[in-house]
Amino acid sequence: MGEISYSVGEGPATRVSLSLPEGTAEAIRRRVGKREFSAFITAAVERELRGQILDEYLADYERRKGPISEREQECARRIFDEVFAEEVQWPAAG
């Protein structure tokens, strides 16, 4: 049997070690509390990965088809965000 491959945001949770500056960690705790710390980090990392994936896609498209206007890039970002809309909604800043 082959190894199972998961996409960004899929699969069972796995424990990883993470080092952050104490000020950053404390700012996250103040904003979301200890219980939501991991969920906050997960959402931030997934947003970053999806952004990088979109950037790579747009760069590849430009290599193959030519320049993409700012308007077209923004349209692609909106569509990409809609497709990968996060299920978790963080409370609004107060």
Side-chain angles (χ1 to χ4, degrees), residues 68-82:
I68 302 172
S69 72
E70 285 292 319
R71 183 171 179 246
E72 291 168 323
Q73 287 183 34
E74 285 306 312
C75 182
R77 289 184 194 291
R78 276 194 307 279
I79 292 169
F80 196 80
D81 287 346
E82 288 174 16

Side-chain angles (χ1 to χ4, degrees), residues 6-18:
Y6 299 104
S7 295
V8 174
E10 298 179 342
T14 186
R15 192 174 271 298
V16 296
S17 176
L18 174 69

Side-chain angles (χ1 to χ4, degrees), residues 55-68 72:
D55 290 345
E56 291 166 4
Y57 172 80
L58 291 174
D60 179 63
Y61 185 92
E62 282 191 316
R63 274 192 301 277
R64 292 182 293 110
K65 304 282 187 173
I68 302 172
E72 291 168 323

Side-chain angles (χ1 to χ4, degrees), residues 7-64:
S7 295
V8 174
E10 298 179 342
T14 186
R15 192 174 271 298
V16 296
S17 176
L18 174 69
S19 297
L20 294 171
E22 183 55 39
T24 302
E26 186 55 36
I28 295 168
R29 283 186 210 102
R30 279 192 309 267
R31 184 165 296 273
V32 300
K34 280 184 170 183
R35 295 183 62 136
E36 296 299 320
F37 191 94
S38 289
F40 183 88
I41 296 295
T42 298
V45 169
E46 287 178 4
R47 276 192 308 273
E48 178 64 21
L49 285 170
R50 287 181 177 134
Q52 288 183 11
I53 290 166
L54 177 58
D55 290 345
E56 291 166 4
Y57 172 80
L58 291 174
D60 179 63
Y61 185 92
E62 282 191 316
R63 274 192 301 277
R64 292 182 293 110

